[in-house]
Amino acid sequence: MKFFTKEVKIALTAIAGIVVLFYGMQFLKGLNLFSSEATYYVAFDDVSGLSASSPVYANGYRVGVVKSLNYDYNPQGKIIAELDLNKNMRVPRGSHAELASDLLGNIKINLILGEDPLNIISLGDTIGGDQEKGVMSKVGDMIPVIEKMLPKLDSIMASLNTLLADPALRNTLHNVEGMTGNLNATSAELKTLSASLNKEVPALMAKTNGVLDNTQQLTGNLAAIDIAGMTAKVNETLANVQQMTDKLNSNEGTLGLLMRDPTLYQNLMSTVASADSLLTDLKARPKRYVHFSVFGRKN
């Protein structure tokens, strides 16, 4: 009778499948059954969805997995998580574990390592655990504040709705639209004016340069004038005028005497009057002064 009958082969195949399935499930859970691991324990007050096979991280790197969870029924009521860490992992004293969750709700354990790497926790010791004060925890703390703000937000929204329904706001918006159109028109006019100025500025600059050239030429001509000589001549002329004025004001000379001596003036006027009287009489009776005779003088 053969031992490996059809029924035995089917049984052995089923047993092998069960063993492979078991180890496969353990491998999928992150449990490595074929290598030695370092076992530590973490005590939590609340695991918040933590389960076996949850990952354990240190400084963002995966160093182990949660092997099992057990409730401590002593008066403390702690939940003990058994951690299987890499055999090369050393946990310094002063370290603690924190529960953290991502946006998808996956729970993991973060090991916050102590600062003394020489003082190591022994294998099988218990590490303190608590909740991570991360973003989700902060959001949860903000919920009561948000609940208090909701009535105020409702009041603000109601005020905004009232304001938006006010016809004056619509008129203001229409006025703003008209102002925007005016600004656009003004901007277009400014562009046209700028283009015109750009065309006229070169000609204006050319005229300005011509005026500057003429000014420079006039300045050169003024610089070429002998100012010192002209000043000397003017001073000489003024001196002569002053000398003449002094003579007129003095008693020297005919003009000075004529201007300042009344007797000379009166005599001169008397002489002029006599000469005028003589000329008048000469015109009236010329025979008294001039005698013509063909035959000789007659007494």
Side-chain angles (χ1 to χ4, degrees):
M1 183 178 179
K2 293 182 179 181
F3 178 75
F4 291 100
T5 60
K6 185 177 180 179
E7 290 78 6
V8 173
K9 292 179 180 180
I10 293 173
L12 292 175
T13 303
I15 293 172
I18 293 172
V19 172
V20 171
L21 178 62
F22 175 75
Y23 284 105
M25 293 296 295
Q26 297 300 319
F27 179 77
L28 293 175
K29 290 181 180 180
L31 300 175
N32 190 352
L33 302 178
F34 298 100
S35 63
S36 59
E37 301 287 345
T39 300
Y40 294 90
Y41 297 94
V42 181
F44 291 104
D45 292 328
D46 185 0
V47 292
S48 298
L50 184 68
S51 62
S53 74
S54 295
V56 180
Y57 292 88
N59 298 330
Y61 183 79
R62 181 168 177 169
V63 295
V65 69
V66 177
K67 185 176 181 180
S68 63
L69 293 172
N70 298 296
Y71 188 81
D72 189 0
Y73 289 97
N74 63 20
Q76 293 183 0
K78 295 285 186 179
I79 300 174
I80 308 301
E82 183 180 357
L83 307 183
D84 277 350
L85 304 182
N86 188 289
K87 61 181 179 180
N88 296 321
M89 182 68 189
R90 297 292 182 267
V91 181
R93 289 193 179 277
S95 303
H96 66 280
E98 291 183 350
L99 287 179
S101 61
D102 54 20
L103 296 177
L104 299 178
N106 298 319
I107 306 299
K108 63 181 180 180
I109 294 179
N110 288 327
L111 286 178
I112 310 301
L113 302 178
E115 298 180 356
D116 187 5
L118 300 179
N119 193 0
I120 304 300
I121 296 176
S122 301
L123 295 176
D125 283 354
T126 301
I127 305 171
D130 53 12
Q131 295 285 340
E132 181 185 31
K133 298 298 182 180
V135 176
M136 299 304 294
S137 178
K138 293 180 181 179
V139 172
D141 295 337
M142 291 175 62
I143 290 177
V145 179
I146 294 175
E147 290 178 349
K148 293 180 180 179
M149 292 175 61
L150 287 177
K152 296 181 180 179
L153 290 176
D154 292 337
S155 176
I156 293 173
M157 293 301 296
S159 300
L160 286 176
N161 290 330
T162 304
L163 179 62
L164 292 175
D166 191 354
L169 180 61
R170 297 193 188 95
N171 296 331
T172 302
L173 292 177
H174 288 304
N175 293 333
V176 169
E177 184 178 0
M179 291 173 62
T180 303
N182 294 333
L183 288 175
N184 292 332
T186 303
S187 177
E189 293 177 356
L190 287 176
K191 288 181 179 179
T192 304
L193 178 60
S194 177
S196 176
L197 288 176
N198 291 333
K199 293 180 180 178
E200 294 178 359
V201 162
L204 181 61
M205 291 299 295
K207 293 181 181 179
T208 303
N209 293 332
V211 173
L212 292 176
D213 293 337
N214 295 332
T215 303
Q216 292 177 355
Q217 184 177 0
L218 177 61
T219 304
N221 295 333
L222 291 175
I225 296 175
D226 188 4
I227 302 297
M230 291 180 62
T231 304
K233 291 181 180 180
V234 170
N235 291 333
E236 183 179 357
T237 302
L238 292 176
N240 294 330
V241 172
Q242 183 66 34
Q243 185 178 1
M244 184 182 293
T245 303
D246 293 338
K247 289 182 178 181
L248 289 175
N249 292 328
S250 65
N251 294 327
E252 297 178 358
T254 305
L255 291 176
L257 292 173
L258 182 63
M259 293 177 63
R260 301 180 63 85
D261 190 356
T263 304
L264 180 60
Y265 174 77
Q266 292 175 0
N267 293 332
L268 182 60
M269 291 299 295
S270 176
T271 301
V272 171
S274 298
D276 182 67
S277 177
L278 178 61
L279 289 174
T280 303
D281 186 62
L282 180 61
K283 290 180 180 180
R285 293 181 286 273
K287 294 181 178 181
R288 180 182 292 182
Y289 301 98
V290 179
H291 299 279
F292 292 97
S293 177
V294 177
F295 302 100
R297 178 176 183 184
K298 183 179 182 179
N299 293 330

